[in-house]
Amino acid sequence: MRLVFVGDGPTDVGPLHDTPHFETSSAAGRVLVRKIIERRVGRKCHFDAKPRPHRWVSRGGYARKVEVAVAEADADGFDGVVILADRDGPGGHDRLDALKAGRRAAQARTALPCAVGVAIETIEAWLLVPSAVKAGLGLERTPPEPPAPETLAGRKGTPTHPKSVLGTWRADVPEGRFDTVTAVYAAIAEEIDPAALESRCPAGFAPFAAEVRAEIAPLFER
């Protein structure tokens, strides 16, 4: 199966650069998608993943971005598309509606499956699972249980932003254990139970998981 992943950054979907080949390394968003699919179909699954370059963000509004991404994936012969964006604060309250509008426009011309989702406020909120962080990063101590992850709405760089909280947690990782932040995030995601995460993040992750089950999982049931 060949899937295109479009997102806000490499920690979500993989390195966002032009590449002629599929990415063999992983990223948090892609790990979570695989785990959602595997839980749905009841077996291990594999897909080839192609991250789209970051320039997709500059192509007009979010609806237009989705429309272009799906059209390109269809033209290139891919089996499906996964699009994941951060809400990045109250200003992005209509972002999911825009993603869905773009999908409707695209699917008026193609039946290519496309799952869309918005993390509140960023994908780091989905990774704030103390037991998963401890296991994935090999920490000696379990980080403290945070407030409900989707209530962490501080501005970027402040202690109450999801990225800041996760940065504090991973400060104890031995130097050299991971090559990149993307690898750190992927290691945490591997330890997360998607069903439990739906309860922790009901406004962002739960709808995204439902999208993946409805749009992408059926590809693996054929």
Side-chain angles (χ1 to χ4, degrees):
M1 207 63 63
R2 303 166 72 243
L3 303 178
V4 171
F5 281 76
V6 184
D8 285 329
T11 52
D12 299 14
V13 299
L16 298 177
H17 53 70
D18 284 310
T19 175
H21 57 273
F22 291 97
E23 294 293 337
T24 56
S25 60
S26 201
R30 283 155 48 185
V31 170
L32 291 173
V33 166
R34 173 175 52 78
K35 291 172 76 73
I36 293 166
I37 295 169
E38 289 178 344
R39 176 175 284 271
R40 178 68 173 186
V41 303
R43 59 178 174 80
K44 291 290 185 181
C45 296
H46 170 78
F47 51 75
D48 292 321
K50 175 80 172 186
R52 276 305 195 214
H54 192 260
R55 67 170 183 267
W56 79 281
V57 175
S58 67
R59 294 176 174 174
Y62 273 82
R64 177 59 178 164
K65 298 164 193 174
V66 173
E67 189 175 358
V68 170
V70 174
E72 288 182 349
D74 185 44
D76 291 340
F78 287 94
D79 298 298
V81 184
V82 178
I83 296 178
L84 178 59
D86 292 337
R87 190 175 77 165
D88 285 328
H93 66 91
D94 60 348
R95 194 157 292 171
L96 183 58
D97 289 339
L99 297 182
K100 290 182 177 180
R103 179 175 60 189
R104 285 194 299 272
Q107 292 185 332
R109 297 187 294 275
T110 174
L112 191 70
C114 174
V116 298
V118 172
I120 302 172
E121 298 296 337
T122 67
I123 198 171
E124 283 82 3
W126 295 357
L127 303 179
L128 294 177
V129 181
S131 59
V133 172
K134 180 179 185 294
L137 304 188
L139 303 182
E140 293 184 1
R141 295 178 296 178
T142 303
E145 184 66 37
E150 292 181 335
T151 67
L152 294 170
R155 297 176 62 184
K156 287 184 179 180
T158 64
T160 54
H161 189 274
K163 191 183 294 287
S164 299
V165 176
L166 187 58
T168 299
W169 287 9
R170 63 185 182 85
D172 294 333
V173 177
E175 186 175 353
R177 185 181 182 92
F178 296 96
D179 294 334
T180 63
V181 175
T182 298
V184 171
Y185 285 19
I188 297 171
E190 287 285 2
E191 301 296 330
I192 289 176
D193 175 3
L197 188 56
E198 289 190 53
S199 298
R200 292 178 70 87
C201 297
F205 183 75
F208 176 63
E211 284 268 333
V212 173
R213 286 193 293 268
E215 295 282 336
I216 305 299
L219 293 171
F220 295 82
E221 295 173 339
R222 296 175 182 173

Short mmCIF file of all heavy atoms in Angstrom, two decimals, residues 45-88:
data_model
loop_
_atom_site.label_atom_id
_atom_site.label_comp_id
_atom_site.label_asym_id
_atom_site.label_seq_id
_atom_site.Cartn_x
_atom_site.Cartn_y
_atom_site.Cartn_z
N CYS A 45 0.27 -4.45 9.89
CA CYS A 45 0.14 -3.87 8.56
C CYS A 45 1.41 -3.10 8.19
O CYS A 45 2.15 -2.65 9.06
CB CYS A 45 -1.05 -2.91 8.50
SG CYS A 45 -2.64 -3.72 8.74
N HIS A 46 1.63 -2.97 6.91
CA HIS A 46 2.76 -2.20 6.41
C HIS A 46 2.31 -1.34 5.26
O HIS A 46 1.46 -1.75 4.46
CB HIS A 46 3.89 -3.12 5.94
CG HIS A 46 4.97 -2.40 5.21
ND1 HIS A 46 5.93 -1.65 5.86
CD2 HIS A 46 5.23 -2.28 3.88
CE1 HIS A 46 6.74 -1.12 4.96
NE2 HIS A 46 6.33 -1.48 3.75
N PHE A 47 2.84 -0.14 5.18
CA PHE A 47 2.59 0.69 4.01
C PHE A 47 3.84 1.49 3.70
O PHE A 47 4.66 1.77 4.58
CB PHE A 47 1.39 1.63 4.21
CG PHE A 47 1.43 2.44 5.49
CD1 PHE A 47 2.29 3.53 5.64
CD2 PHE A 47 0.58 2.12 6.54
CE1 PHE A 47 2.31 4.28 6.80
CE2 PHE A 47 0.59 2.86 7.72
CZ PHE A 47 1.46 3.94 7.85
N ASP A 48 4.00 1.81 2.44
CA ASP A 48 5.07 2.72 2.03
C ASP A 48 4.56 4.14 2.22
O ASP A 48 3.45 4.47 1.79
CB ASP A 48 5.44 2.49 0.56
CG ASP A 48 6.10 1.14 0.34
OD1 ASP A 48 6.90 0.74 1.20
OD2 ASP A 48 5.80 0.49 -0.67
N ALA A 49 5.37 4.98 2.85
CA ALA A 49 4.94 6.33 3.17
C ALA A 49 5.74 7.37 2.41
O ALA A 49 6.97 7.28 2.35
CB ALA A 49 5.09 6.58 4.67
N LYS A 50 5.04 8.32 1.85
CA LYS A 50 5.68 9.40 1.10
C LYS A 50 5.26 10.72 1.74
O LYS A 50 4.13 11.19 1.56
CB LYS A 50 5.23 9.35 -0.36
CG LYS A 50 5.74 10.52 -1.20
CD LYS A 50 7.16 10.33 -1.65
CE LYS A 50 7.55 11.41 -2.65
NZ LYS A 50 8.86 11.20 -3.23
N PRO A 51 6.14 11.39 2.49
CA PRO A 51 5.81 12.71 3.02
C PRO A 51 5.82 13.73 1.89
O PRO A 51 6.63 13.65 0.97
CB PRO A 51 6.94 13.00 4.02
CG PRO A 51 7.67 11.72 4.20
CD PRO A 51 7.46 10.93 2.95
N ARG A 52 4.92 14.70 1.97
CA ARG A 52 4.89 15.76 0.99
C ARG A 52 5.69 16.95 1.51
O ARG A 52 5.68 17.24 2.70
CB ARG A 52 3.45 16.19 0.71
CG ARG A 52 2.74 15.33 -0.33
CD ARG A 52 3.51 15.26 -1.63
NE ARG A 52 2.68 14.73 -2.71
CZ ARG A 52 3.13 13.98 -3.69
NH1 ARG A 52 4.40 13.60 -3.69
NH2 ARG A 52 2.35 13.57 -4.66
N PRO A 53 6.39 17.67 0.63
CA PRO A 53 7.19 18.82 1.05
C PRO A 53 6.35 19.87 1.76
O PRO A 53 5.16 20.01 1.51
CB PRO A 53 7.74 19.36 -0.27
CG PRO A 53 7.71 18.20 -1.20
CD PRO A 53 6.50 17.40 -0.80
N HIS A 54 7.00 20.64 2.61
CA HIS A 54 6.32 21.64 3.43
C HIS A 54 5.70 22.75 2.60
O HIS A 54 4.81 23.45 3.07
CB HIS A 54 7.31 22.24 4.43
CG HIS A 54 6.66 23.05 5.50
ND1 HIS A 54 6.62 24.42 5.46
CD2 HIS A 54 5.99 22.69 6.62
CE1 HIS A 54 5.98 24.86 6.53
NE2 HIS A 54 5.59 23.85 7.24
N ARG A 55 6.12 22.90 1.36
CA ARG A 55 5.59 24.01 0.56
C ARG A 55 4.09 23.91 0.33
O ARG A 55 3.46 24.88 -0.09
CB ARG A 55 6.31 24.11 -0.79
CG ARG A 55 6.03 22.94 -1.73
CD ARG A 55 6.57 23.22 -3.12
NE ARG A 55 6.25 22.13 -4.03
CZ ARG A 55 7.04 21.09 -4.28
NH1 ARG A 55 8.21 21.00 -3.67
NH2 ARG A 55 6.67 20.14 -5.11
N TRP A 56 3.49 22.73 0.58
CA TRP A 56 2.04 22.60 0.39
C TRP A 56 1.29 23.62 1.23
O TRP A 56 0.21 24.05 0.89
CB TRP A 56 1.57 21.19 0.71
CG TRP A 56 1.41 20.87 2.16
CD1 TRP A 56 2.39 20.54 3.04
CD2 TRP A 56 0.19 20.82 2.90
NE1 TRP A 56 1.87 20.29 4.28
CE2 TRP A 56 0.52 20.46 4.22
CE3 TRP A 56 -1.15 21.05 2.57
CZ2 TRP A 56 -0.43 20.33 5.22
CZ3 TRP A 56 -2.10 20.92 3.57
CH2 TRP A 56 -1.73 20.56 4.88
N VAL A 57 1.88 24.05 2.36
CA VAL A 57 1.20 24.98 3.25
C VAL A 57 1.00 26.34 2.59
O VAL A 57 0.11 27.09 2.96
CB VAL A 57 2.00 25.11 4.57
CG1 VAL A 57 1.40 26.16 5.47
CG2 VAL A 57 2.05 23.77 5.28
N SER A 58 1.78 26.68 1.60
CA SER A 58 1.71 28.01 1.01
C SER A 58 0.69 28.11 -0.12
O SER A 58 0.50 29.17 -0.68
CB SER A 58 3.10 28.41 0.48
OG SER A 58 3.47 27.59 -0.61
N ARG A 59 0.04 27.03 -0.45
CA ARG A 59 -0.86 27.04 -1.61
C ARG A 59 -2.27 27.47 -1.22
O ARG A 59 -3.20 26.68 -1.19
CB ARG A 59 -0.87 25.66 -2.26
CG ARG A 59 0.47 25.29 -2.88
CD ARG A 59 0.42 23.89 -3.42
NE ARG A 59 1.65 23.57 -4.15
CZ ARG A 59 1.92 22.38 -4.64
NH1 ARG A 59 1.07 21.39 -4.48
NH2 ARG A 59 3.06 22.16 -5.28
N GLY A 60 -2.44 28.73 -0.90
CA GLY A 60 -3.77 29.23 -0.57
C GLY A 60 -4.24 28.75 0.78
O GLY A 60 -3.46 28.39 1.65
N GLY A 61 -5.57 28.76 0.98
CA GLY A 61 -6.13 28.32 2.24
C GLY A 61 -6.02 26.82 2.41
O GLY A 61 -5.65 26.08 1.50
N TYR A 62 -6.39 26.35 3.60
CA TYR A 62 -6.24 24.93 3.89
C TYR A 62 -7.11 24.06 2.99
O TYR A 62 -6.73 22.95 2.63
CB TYR A 62 -6.55 24.66 5.36
CG TYR A 62 -5.35 24.82 6.25
CD1 TYR A 62 -4.94 26.07 6.69
CD2 TYR A 62 -4.59 23.72 6.64
CE1 TYR A 62 -3.83 26.23 7.49
CE2 TYR A 62 -3.47 23.86 7.44
CZ TYR A 62 -3.10 25.12 7.86
OH TYR A 62 -1.99 25.26 8.63
N ALA A 63 -8.28 24.54 2.62
CA ALA A 63 -9.12 23.75 1.73
C ALA A 63 -8.42 23.52 0.40
O ALA A 63 -8.42 22.41 -0.15
CB ALA A 63 -10.46 24.45 1.51
N ARG A 64 -7.82 24.56 -0.13
CA ARG A 64 -7.11 24.44 -1.39
C ARG A 64 -5.90 23.53 -1.26
O ARG A 64 -5.59 22.75 -2.17
CB ARG A 64 -6.69 25.82 -1.88
CG ARG A 64 -5.87 25.83 -3.17
CD ARG A 64 -6.63 25.19 -4.31
NE ARG A 64 -5.85 25.23 -5.55
CZ ARG A 64 -6.12 24.49 -6.62
NH1 ARG A 64 -7.16 23.66 -6.60
NH2 ARG A 64 -5.37 24.57 -7.70
N LYS A 65 -5.24 23.59 -0.11
CA LYS A 65 -4.08 22.74 0.11
C LYS A 65 -4.46 21.26 0.03
O LYS A 65 -3.75 20.45 -0.58
CB LYS A 65 -3.47 23.03 1.48
CG LYS A 65 -2.97 24.44 1.66
CD LYS A 65 -2.76 24.73 3.14
CE LYS A 65 -2.56 26.21 3.36
NZ LYS A 65 -2.49 26.53 4.79
N VAL A 66 -5.58 20.91 0.66
CA VAL A 66 -6.03 19.52 0.63
C VAL A 66 -6.40 19.12 -0.80
O VAL A 66 -6.03 18.04 -1.28
CB VAL A 66 -7.23 19.31 1.57
CG1 VAL A 66 -7.80 17.91 1.41
CG2 VAL A 66 -6.81 19.56 3.01
N GLU A 67 -7.11 19.98 -1.47
CA GLU A 67 -7.54 19.68 -2.84
C GLU A 67 -6.33 19.40 -3.73
O GLU A 67 -6.32 18.43 -4.51
CB GLU A 67 -8.34 20.85 -3.40
CG GLU A 67 -9.02 20.57 -4.72
CD GLU A 67 -9.89 21.72 -5.18
OE1 GLU A 67 -10.00 22.73 -4.44
OE2 GLU A 67 -10.46 21.61 -6.27
N VAL A 68 -5.29 20.22 -3.62
CA VAL A 68 -4.09 20.03 -4.43
C VAL A 68 -3.37 18.75 -4.04
O VAL A 68 -2.93 17.97 -4.89
CB VAL A 68 -3.15 21.24 -4.28
CG1 VAL A 68 -1.79 20.96 -4.92
CG2 VAL A 68 -3.77 22.48 -4.91
N ALA A 69 -3.24 18.50 -2.72
CA ALA A 69 -2.51 17.31 -2.26
C ALA A 69 -3.18 16.03 -2.74
O ALA A 69 -2.51 15.08 -3.17
CB ALA A 69 -2.42 17.32 -0.73
N VAL A 70 -4.51 15.97 -2.66
CA VAL A 70 -5.23 14.77 -3.11
C VAL A 70 -5.11 14.60 -4.61
O VAL A 70 -4.89 13.48 -5.11
CB VAL A 70 -6.70 14.83 -2.67
CG1 VAL A 70 -7.48 13.66 -3.26
CG2 VAL A 70 -6.81 14.83 -1.14
N ALA A 71 -5.23 15.69 -5.35
CA ALA A 71 -5.12 15.60 -6.81
C ALA A 71 -3.74 15.11 -7.23
O ALA A 71 -3.61 14.27 -8.13
CB ALA A 71 -5.41 16.97 -7.43
N GLU A 72 -2.70 15.60 -6.57
CA GLU A 72 -1.35 15.17 -6.90
C GLU A 72 -1.15 13.69 -6.56
O GLU A 72 -0.54 12.94 -7.33
CB GLU A 72 -0.33 16.02 -6.15
CG GLU A 72 -0.21 17.45 -6.67
CD GLU A 72 0.84 18.23 -5.93
OE1 GLU A 72 1.34 17.75 -4.88
OE2 GLU A 72 1.18 19.34 -6.39
N ALA A 73 -1.65 13.28 -5.41
CA ALA A 73 -1.51 11.87 -5.01
C ALA A 73 -2.25 10.96 -5.98
O ALA A 73 -1.75 9.88 -6.34
CB ALA A 73 -2.04 11.68 -3.59
N ASP A 74 -3.42 11.38 -6.42
CA ASP A 74 -4.19 10.59 -7.37
C ASP A 74 -3.45 10.49 -8.70
O ASP A 74 -3.34 9.40 -9.28
CB ASP A 74 -5.56 11.23 -7.57
CG ASP A 74 -6.47 10.39 -8.46
OD1 ASP A 74 -6.52 9.16 -8.27
OD2 ASP A 74 -7.13 10.97 -9.34
N ALA A 75 -2.91 11.60 -9.17
CA ALA A 75 -2.18 11.60 -10.43
C ALA A 75 -0.93 10.73 -10.37
O ALA A 75 -0.53 10.13 -11.38
CB ALA A 75 -1.80 13.03 -10.82
N ASP A 76 -0.34 10.64 -9.18
CA ASP A 76 0.88 9.85 -9.02
C ASP A 76 0.61 8.39 -8.69
O ASP A 76 1.54 7.61 -8.46
CB ASP A 76 1.76 10.47 -7.92
CG ASP A 76 2.35 11.81 -8.33
OD1 ASP A 76 2.40 12.09 -9.55
OD2 ASP A 76 2.76 12.58 -7.44
N GLY A 77 -0.64 8.00 -8.62
CA GLY A 77 -0.98 6.59 -8.43
C GLY A 77 -0.94 6.07 -7.01
O GLY A 77 -0.80 4.86 -6.80
N PHE A 78 -1.08 6.94 -6.03
CA PHE A 78 -1.07 6.49 -4.64
C PHE A 78 -2.41 5.89 -4.27
O PHE A 78 -3.43 6.11 -4.93
CB PHE A 78 -0.73 7.67 -3.70
CG PHE A 78 0.72 8.07 -3.77
CD1 PHE A 78 1.12 9.09 -4.60
CD2 PHE A 78 1.66 7.41 -3.01
CE1 PHE A 78 2.45 9.46 -4.68
CE2 PHE A 78 3.00 7.77 -3.08
CZ PHE A 78 3.40 8.79 -3.91
N ASP A 79 -2.42 5.13 -3.16
CA ASP A 79 -3.63 4.44 -2.72
C ASP A 79 -4.47 5.27 -1.76
O ASP A 79 -5.67 5.01 -1.59
CB ASP A 79 -3.27 3.11 -2.05
CG ASP A 79 -2.56 2.18 -3.01
OD1 ASP A 79 -3.17 1.80 -4.03
OD2 ASP A 79 -1.39 1.83 -2.75
N GLY A 80 -3.87 6.24 -1.09
CA GLY A 80 -4.61 7.05 -0.13
C GLY A 80 -3.76 8.20 0.37
O GLY A 80 -2.55 8.26 0.14
N VAL A 81 -4.42 9.12 1.07
CA VAL A 81 -3.77 10.32 1.59
C VAL A 81 -4.16 10.51 3.05
O VAL A 81 -5.33 10.32 3.41
CB VAL A 81 -4.17 11.58 0.79
CG1 VAL A 81 -3.40 12.80 1.28
CG2 VAL A 81 -3.94 11.37 -0.70
N VAL A 82 -3.19 10.89 3.87
CA VAL A 82 -3.46 11.26 5.26
C VAL A 82 -2.95 12.68 5.45
O VAL A 82 -1.78 12.97 5.17
CB VAL A 82 -2.76 10.31 6.25
CG1 VAL A 82 -3.02 10.77 7.69
CG2 VAL A 82 -3.23 8.87 6.05
N ILE A 83 -3.82 13.57 5.92
CA ILE A 83 -3.44 14.97 6.11
C ILE A 83 -3.69 15.34 7.56
O ILE A 83 -4.80 15.20 8.08
CB ILE A 83 -4.25 15.89 5.17
CG1 ILE A 83 -3.90 15.56 3.71
CG2 ILE A 83 -3.96 17.35 5.47
CD1 ILE A 83 -4.66 16.37 2.69
N LEU A 84 -2.64 15.80 8.21
CA LEU A 84 -2.69 16.11 9.64
C LEU A 84 -2.12 17.50 9.88
O LEU A 84 -0.99 17.79 9.48
CB LEU A 84 -1.90 15.07 10.43
CG LEU A 84 -1.80 15.25 11.94
CD1 LEU A 84 -3.19 15.25 12.57
CD2 LEU A 84 -0.95 14.14 12.55
N ALA A 85 -2.90 18.37 10.51
CA ALA A 85 -2.46 19.73 10.81
C ALA A 85 -2.61 20.00 12.30
O ALA A 85 -3.41 19.37 12.99
CB ALA A 85 -3.29 20.74 10.01
N ASP A 86 -1.82 20.94 12.80
CA ASP A 86 -1.99 21.43 14.17
C ASP A 86 -3.03 22.55 14.17
O ASP A 86 -3.11 23.32 13.21
CB ASP A 86 -0.68 21.99 14.71
CG ASP A 86 0.38 20.91 14.91
OD1 ASP A 86 0.01 19.74 15.07
OD2 ASP A 86 1.57 21.26 14.91
N ARG A 87 -3.80 22.66 15.23
CA ARG A 87 -4.74 23.77 15.32
C ARG A 87 -4.01 25.06 15.66
O ARG A 87 -4.38 26.14 15.20
CB ARG A 87 -5.82 23.50 16.37
CG ARG A 87 -6.95 24.54 16.30
CD ARG A 87 -8.08 24.22 17.22
NE ARG A 87 -7.77 24.57 18.62
CZ ARG A 87 -8.68 24.66 19.58
NH1 ARG A 87 -9.96 24.40 19.30
NH2 ARG A 87 -8.34 24.97 20.81
N ASP A 88 -2.96 24.97 16.49
CA ASP A 88 -2.14 26.12 16.84
C ASP A 88 -2.94 27.25 17.46
O ASP A 88 -2.76 28.43 17.11
CB ASP A 88 -1.37 26.64 15.61
CG ASP A 88 -0.21 25.73 15.24
OD1 ASP A 88 0.38 25.13 16.16
OD2 ASP A 88 0.11 25.62 14.05
#
